[in-house]
């Protein structure tokens, strides 16, 4: 769904750069771009009180190609496929613990 999101939200230039980066880096680029999008729109997003307003803001991002990719490759360069896998596994463990504590 990440790929579908980027194709429908961004202009053609950014979409092509995302796809190009996907072929180079793999799916980790989708996480980096998503985090960059939120970081670059942080002030506006923090003022929102309604989820619909947040979706509208993220659906019409006010970012340049350069700022988005600079943020993705510099500010989030520490995000690697291994790091994503570790976080996913930790979240799975926490989820299973929570499920096991729920009354049947």
């Amino acid at each position: 769904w990440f790929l579908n999101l980027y194709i429908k939200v961004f202009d053609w230039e950014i979409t092509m750069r995302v796809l190009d980066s996907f072929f180079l880096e793999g799916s980790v680029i989708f996480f980096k771009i998503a985090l960059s999008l939120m970081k670059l729109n942080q002030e506006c997003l923090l003022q929102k009180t309604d989820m619909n307003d947040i979706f509208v803001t993220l659906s019409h991002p006010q970012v340049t190609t350069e700022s988005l990719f600079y943020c993705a490759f510099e500010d989030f360069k520490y995000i690697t496929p291994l790091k994503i896998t570790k976080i996913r596994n930790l979240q799975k463990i926490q989820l299973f613990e929570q499920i096991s504590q729920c009354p049947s």
Side-chain angles (χ1 to χ4, degrees):
W1 70 270
F2 269 131
L3 184 57
N4 192 26
L5 169 75
Y6 295 119
I7 289 174
K8 290 184 177 184
V9 169
F10 290 124
D11 65 27
W12 191 246
E13 180 185 359
I14 292 177
T15 300
M16 290 295 103
R17 293 268 309 264
V18 169
L19 290 173
D20 190 41
S21 298
F22 167 69
F23 292 124
L24 178 65
E25 289 209 4
S27 62
V28 71
I29 192 62
F30 298 136
F31 292 95
K32 290 179 178 184
I33 294 293
L35 291 169
S36 298
L37 183 61
M38 287 186 277
K39 181 177 181 178
L40 294 171
N41 288 282
Q42 182 176 4
E43 287 182 32
C44 185
L45 290 171
L46 289 173
Q47 295 174 5
K48 305 297 179 191
T49 57
D50 182 70
M51 282 302 292
N52 189 47
D53 291 340
I54 292 171
F55 288 130
V56 169
T57 299
L58 292 175
S59 296
H60 301 90
Q62 300 298 313
V63 296
T64 64
T65 305
E66 293 76 23
S67 65
L68 185 66
F69 279 85
Y70 181 84
C71 186
F73 286 105
E74 287 300 317
D75 296 350
F76 297 107
K77 61 185 169 190
Y78 63 90
I79 296 177
T80 64
L82 180 61
K83 188 166 193 80
I84 292 170
T85 300
K86 286 181 180 181
I87 292 170
R88 280 182 176 154
N89 290 336
L90 178 63
Q91 293 299 315
K92 284 181 190 176
I93 292 169
Q94 291 175 352
L95 177 64
F96 290 139
E97 287 175 355
Q98 290 175 358
I99 290 172
S100 69
Q101 294 174 1
C102 290
S104 309

